[in-house]
Amino acid sequence: GQNIDQPTEMTATEGAIVQINCTYQTSGFNGLFWYQQHAGEAPTFLSYNVLDGLEEKGRFSSFLSRSKGYSYLLLKELQMKDSASYLCAVQTGGSYIPTFGRGTSLIVHP
Amino acid sequence: EAGVAQSPRYKIIEKRQSVAFWCNPISGHATLYWYQQILGQGPKLLIQFQNNGVVDDSQLPKDRFSAERLKGVDSTLKIQPAKLEDSAVYLCASSLVGGNTEAFFGQGTRLTVV
């Protein structure tokens, strides 16, 4: 089976930078997604990494190290609206089956 | 572009009753997923379809849950009979192909079993 680990909760200050880590143990790794989910809403796509390295998209960046089974999501210039759950999802196998971690609840305070 | 449509949004049933959820994916999306999300946890994949064929249903409790996607478009998920621990949000998602493309999620159905 797949094992995906994320911190349960993090807090940060508006305007700051926060890094949310995700570690995984899987077989047949294809790629890794990050999704954002506001309370009571559906997850929305943030990023997808298949190769090692950093992918930057505006205020959000995602990093992957396949050899270490490690990824992080970096959020810069935090805004109050960034308060949400951040879900790491690993895709495996020939059928690209996605498995989600339990999510990290990020609280941004003034 | 219309998103993934799900209905109903909310459902309350008594244990041992049956319930069905409906999902209409984004037009042209071959892959459809049903997830169960219990409060405070990440989504758990129940079943993945590619067109009208099942790709993975290893985590679907088949003694009580069933799902179909007969014409390769919309899908229904049924629970019969429901248990208290089935209380969760049931999310439907779709993607263009099952590979390295993002999934688009519907708003979900919040099921409460009492």
Side-chain angles (χ1 to χ4, degrees), chain B residues 11-114:
Chain B
K11 190 75 177 179
I12 301 174
I13 61 172
E14 295 182 349
K15 59 184 179 183
R16 292 187 289 274
Q17 285 187 323
S18 62
V19 64
F21 312 127
W22 174 82
C23 173
N24 186 249
I26 292 173
S27 178
H29 280 195
T31 303
L32 185 147
Y33 312 83
W34 282 104
Y35 288 92
Q36 179 193 60
Q37 188 172 26
I38 293 172
L39 187 65
Q41 299 183 19
K44 171 188 166 185
L45 181 67
L46 294 176
I47 189 166
Q48 177 177 337
F49 291 96
Q50 183 87 4
N51 297 307
N52 61 348
V54 176
V55 172
D56 184 86
D57 64 357
S58 57
Q59 298 193 89
L60 187 73
K62 297 180 186 63
D63 58 334
R64 299 185 301 105
F65 286 61
S66 64
E68 59 182 16
R69 193 185 185 198
L70 291 176
K71 297 182 179 178
V73 181
D74 54 356
S75 175
T76 55
L77 176 70
K78 297 179 182 178
I79 307 175
Q80 182 181 10
K83 293 184 175 181
L84 295 177
E85 59 260 35
D86 298 332
S87 294
V89 175
Y90 291 84
L91 293 164
C92 178
S94 69
S95 65
L96 279 170
V97 291
N100 57 350
T101 58
E102 66 182 279
F104 293 83
F105 285 80
Q107 288 292 92
T109 296
R110 183 176 297 276
L111 174 68
T112 303
V113 182
V114 298

Side-chain angles (χ1 to χ4, degrees), chain A residues 6-12 18-20 34-46 59-60 73 75 78-88 102-109, chain B residues 37 40-41:
Chain A
Q6 303 179 235
T8 303
E9 186 175 293
M10 299 181 71
T11 59
V18 71
Q19 177 176 312
I20 302 174
W34 283 96
Y35 285 83
Q36 180 191 59
Q37 186 175 28
H38 284 101
E41 298 183 12
T44 55
F45 170 81
L46 290 177
R59 293 190 300 115
F60 292 7
L73 181 70
L75 293 76
L78 280 173
Q79 302 174 11
M80 299 296 290
K81 68 178 181 180
D82 297 329
S83 293
S85 180
Y86 291 86
L87 300 162
C88 169
R102 65 183 301 124
T104 298
S105 176
L106 174 66
I107 301 169
V108 180
H109 55 82
Chain B
Q37 188 172 26
Q41 299 183 19

Side-chain angles (χ1 to χ4, degrees), chain A residues 41-77:
Chain A
E41 298 183 12
T44 55
F45 170 81
L46 290 177
S47 68
Y48 178 72
N49 294 71
V50 62
L51 299 176
D52 291 351
L54 188 68
E55 296 274 348
E56 298 187 76
K57 190 185 294 185
R59 293 190 300 115
F60 292 7
S61 303
S62 57
F63 172 84
L64 175 67
S65 170
R66 289 172 297 171
S67 63
K68 295 182 179 178
Y70 168 69
S71 173
Y72 67 74
L73 181 70
L74 192 71
L75 293 76
K76 302 176 186 176
E77 302 170 17

